Amino acid sequence: MPLVVFCGLPYSGKSRRAEELRVALAAEGRAVYVVDDAAVLGAEDPAVYGDSAREKALRGALRASVERRLSRHDVVILDSLNYIKGFRYELYCLARAARTPLCLVYCVRPGGPIAGPQVAGANENPGRNVSVSWRPRAEEDGRAQAAGSSVLRELHTADSVVNGSSQADVPKELEREESGAAESPALVTPESEKSAKHGSGAFYSPELLEALTLRFEAPDSRNRWDRPLFTLVGLEEPLPLAEIRSALFENRAPPPHQSTQSQPLASGSFLHQLDQVTSQVLAGLMEAQKSAVPGDLLTLPGTTEHLRFTRPLTMAELSRLRRQFISYTKMHPNNENLPQLANMFLQYLSQSLH
């Protein structure tokens, strides 16, 4: 059954969307398995993404867990950041090898992944462009809000000095916003982020979030390993269950490459029979053309088809074509082709000579 890969930065609602999809598919009687960081590590640890060696080991464990679960009977949901396109390509190869479809669900946080609301007047003073953190530490909410208020006050003071106005001209609305900022953290934290806080106990520091944002490789539907792609912005947008079902259960699996396919079983005498059959066809052709005239249809031993005779053929020319046919047939050995080897060689001769 298919593979569903969730992709996105922290606090974008991936886990909640994955649970919503799992409940919807389980209600239909399907076996659904969810693979996430906590299932592999034992507990979600954001510090893993700050250590390249540990993160590489985590990706390997996630890939191995998906490979163990992936089959034609179960639905596997991978709930992780999956921000590296090379890792998403590896997952695509797993699904292709298992002959099962897959789709990608890209969760995006409204307003950007880490860019917070810009301070009023920042566009007028590019050198003092300051953004308020969109997710301050839980234990430093009061200090973070106070810092934002002080930044507002300093920016307005600088604007007042430049414009020749005095500090006494500060609007009362600004003072009310400063006093109410510490009392209402919802001014900085959107509703989707608050719901994500309740859904995950892990905390990603602002430095780690910024590093993940810089390393993030967004999915592109033009890449075969990123399609079909479903982009969800925030938690308010409904999950497209009908489209996801169609992509998972109605689409065909990615076609496997020839290099990843197992070679068909061939008997130990396949090459011997191939050499014997082609030799008989050549011997019959050299004998039949002695009494043939151009335009005759030659019947050769072991074949049900005919070869139109157009000109006398030398043994050197026929031996060269025979070697080419044997080299090509050895690359695709199949016991099912044994009864048709003579006809296949005759068709090859007909197409090469005319």
Side-chain angles (χ1 to χ4, degrees):
M1 287 299 251
L3 171 64
V4 184
V5 179
F6 278 82
C7 172
L9 289 171
Y11 311 120
S12 58
K14 299 185 305 300
S15 298
R16 181 162 297 188
R17 294 293 194 173
E19 178 63 17
E20 183 180 351
L21 180 60
R22 185 197 68 81
V23 172
L25 295 179
E28 301 176 359
R30 305 183 187 275
V32 184
Y33 297 96
V34 178
V35 179
D36 55 9
D37 295 358
V40 173
L41 299 175
E44 189 173 359
D45 184 12
V48 171
Y49 294 98
D51 187 340
S52 60
R54 294 178 61 192
E55 183 183 354
K56 183 178 180 180
L58 173 62
R59 289 198 301 268
L62 289 173
R63 181 175 60 250
S65 182
V66 169
E67 188 174 7
R68 285 194 299 268
R69 295 288 189 181
L70 199 59
S71 66
R72 299 187 180 184
H73 307 288
D74 304 326
V75 179
V76 180
I77 299 177
L78 178 58
D79 177 19
S80 186
L81 300 186
N82 301 320
Y83 66 93
I84 300 177
K85 64 180 180 181
F87 181 59
R88 296 197 297 267
Y89 177 74
E90 293 179 11
L91 297 173
Y92 168 81
C93 292
L94 290 180
R96 184 177 59 190
R99 305 289 183 90
T100 182
L102 84 161
C103 73
L104 181 66
V105 180
Y106 179 31
C107 298
V108 182
R109 180 183 175 275
I114 194 171
Q118 297 295 325
V119 178
N123 295 332
E124 301 174 3
N125 299 278
R128 299 178 61 90
N129 189 4
V130 181
S131 62
V132 181
S133 175
W134 59 270
R135 190 183 188 275
R137 294 179 183 269
E139 64 274 10
E140 297 178 0
D141 281 340
R143 285 179 289 176
Q145 299 298 337
S149 301
S150 62
V151 170
L152 287 171
R153 188 178 297 104
E154 290 175 5
L155 288 178
H156 187 79
T157 302
D159 291 341
S160 300
V161 173
V162 173
N163 298 330
S165 59
S166 62
Q167 183 65 23
D169 297 331
V170 177
K172 296 182 179 180
E173 291 77 8
L174 181 59
E175 297 178 357
R176 287 196 296 268
E177 291 177 0
E178 294 176 358
S179 61
E183 301 175 1
S184 57
L187 294 176
V188 177
T189 305
E191 194 67 22
S192 60
E193 180 185 333
K194 292 195 297 183
S195 60
K197 283 183 180 181
H198 297 303
S200 174
F203 172 74
Y204 290 80
S205 64
E207 295 79 9
L208 181 56
L209 284 170
E210 184 177 1
L212 289 174
T213 304
L214 295 176
R215 304 199 304 253
F216 189 84
E217 296 175 334
D220 188 350
S221 60
R222 292 174 296 182
N223 300 328
R224 62 182 182 276
W225 57 86
D226 285 338
R227 62 173 181 258
L229 174 63
F230 302 95
T231 303
L232 302 176
V233 180
L235 297 175
E236 293 77 12
E237 185 176 350
L239 188 68
L241 292 175
E243 289 79 2
I244 292 179
R245 288 193 192 96
S246 176
L248 296 180
F249 306 115
E250 298 179 10
N251 283 0
R252 298 178 58 185
H257 286 320
Q258 181 178 345
S259 59
T260 61
Q261 287 182 297
S262 300
Q263 291 292 337
L265 297 177
S267 62
S269 60
F270 179 81
L271 294 180
H272 174 71
Q273 295 184 28
L274 175 63
D275 181 79
Q276 186 177 12
V277 168
T278 52
S279 298
Q280 293 176 356
V281 171
L282 287 191
L285 178 57
M286 293 298 296
E287 184 67 25
Q289 71 175 356
K290 292 180 179 180
S291 58
V293 296
D296 289 350
L297 294 177
L298 304 181
T299 302
L300 304 179
T303 64
T304 58
E305 300 183 8
H306 303 282
L307 176 66
R308 183 174 296 277
F309 179 72
T310 56
R311 60 180 177 84
L313 302 172
T314 63
M315 179 57 75
E317 184 179 7
L318 293 176
S319 297
R320 178 178 58 84
L321 295 176
R322 174 175 173 268
R323 288 193 300 269
Q324 293 177 357
F325 178 76
I326 291 177
S327 299
Y328 175 78
T329 308
K330 285 193 301 185
M331 297 173 57
H332 308 276
N334 195 336
N335 290 333
E336 298 178 358
N337 295 333
L338 286 177
Q340 301 295 328
L341 282 179
N343 287 330
M344 292 169 59
F345 183 45
L346 192 63
Q347 294 173 4
Y348 181 79
L349 290 176
S350 178
Q351 295 176 0
S352 302
L353 296 173
H354 299 98

